[in-house]
Amino acid sequence: MCFGDDGADEARADAERAKAEQRAEEAARQARITEGQTRINEAFAQFTPEYYKNFQDTAVAAQSPQVEDQYAKARDKAAAILAGRGILKSNIAGNALGDIDKTRATTLGQIANDAVTQANNLRSAVEKQKTDLYTLNTAASDPTAIANRAIGEATALVAQPQTSTLGDIFGSAVSSLGTAAKADAYSPYGGRVANWFAPPTSGRERVYG
């Protein structure tokens, strides 16, 4: 009986030691996971709300000057056409220049919306990559390896916004002036053939309502 009790005690002790070792191993694994997650967060620390805002602003700034340059030239060209026909202060001119203004506003709005989309897509890509790395970190519990992987992935995500050279934004609006002018000039209700295409007889600009 004495030997039996000693054997049971030893078995219990062995079991307790095994449990203690398992707890220690699990604690060490959790510590490595925590360290790995910290290293991931450090690698992706640059991706702050300010980073995405700057990314968005950069996208807008890259294309807005193209729009403004074309806009200024289109307004000048349209004004020259309208003034040459003596109708720069007419409702027709107001509508034509208004169309150019609307085209500018629409184009700038599209650029801004595209910049927001790009920033949101980048944010989603960053969060997805971090989530994938967290999962890998939990499975591997190797903070050194996950740190190197995180640095590489974060670096790969850093990029400039995608931009493209804009086409002739206002070309159709300006070219339509000639078409609209001719249509109105030859209209049976306007009777402005001479008025549109002939110099003002008074030497002053004509004003049409």
Side-chain angles (χ1 to χ4, degrees):
M1 295 294 297
C2 181
F3 289 111
D5 291 340
D6 289 343
D9 290 342
E10 185 175 351
R12 283 194 293 271
D14 289 342
E16 289 300 323
R17 281 194 295 271
K19 290 180 181 179
E21 289 175 359
Q22 289 177 355
R23 287 194 293 269
E25 290 176 359
E26 179 59 20
R29 190 180 78 87
Q30 291 298 328
R32 292 193 299 272
I33 291 173
T34 299
E35 181 182 353
Q37 184 165 327
T38 298
R39 303 291 288 276
I40 293 170
N41 292 337
E42 290 173 350
F44 283 80
Q46 65 181 308
F47 296 106
T48 62
E50 291 74 21
Y51 181 93
Y52 297 116
K53 181 63 168 59
N54 182 65
F55 181 93
Q56 180 179 324
D57 291 344
T58 300
V60 172
Q63 293 193 293
S64 293
Q66 297 180 52
V67 178
E68 299 297 359
D69 181 61
Q70 289 195 39
Y71 169 71
K73 292 177 180 177
R75 287 273 303 188
D76 288 346
K77 186 174 182 179
I81 293 173
L82 294 165
R85 290 168 180 161
I87 56 169
L88 184 57
K89 296 181 180 180
S90 68
N91 286 342
I92 294 173
N95 291 336
L97 296 176
D99 287 342
I100 292 175
D101 291 344
K102 289 177 183 178
T103 299
R104 170 182 176 271
T106 299
T107 303
L108 291 175
Q110 291 172 342
I111 289 173
N113 290 338
D114 180 67
V116 171
T117 299
Q118 287 196 56
N120 288 338
N121 289 342
L122 175 60
R123 190 194 306 269
S124 296
V126 168
E127 293 305 317
K128 181 181 184 303
Q129 191 58 65
K130 286 178 67 176
T131 298
D132 291 345
L133 287 169
Y134 288 150
T135 301
L136 180 61
N137 176 57
T138 300
S141 63
D142 185 341
T144 300
I146 204 67
N148 293 332
R149 176 75 174 269
I151 292 171
E153 297 291 354
T155 301
L157 286 169
V158 176
Q160 292 299 311
Q162 296 180 357
T163 59
S164 60
T165 301
L166 301 175
D168 188 355
I169 303 169
F170 303 95
S172 60
V174 174
S175 64
S176 67
L177 286 175
T179 302
K182 290 178 181 179
D184 183 81
Y186 287 99
S187 168
Y189 304 102
R192 299 176 183 169
V193 176
N195 289 336
W196 271 98
F197 297 102
T201 56
S202 64
R204 294 182 301 172
E205 183 180 75
R206 287 177 296 274
V207 179
Y208 296 124

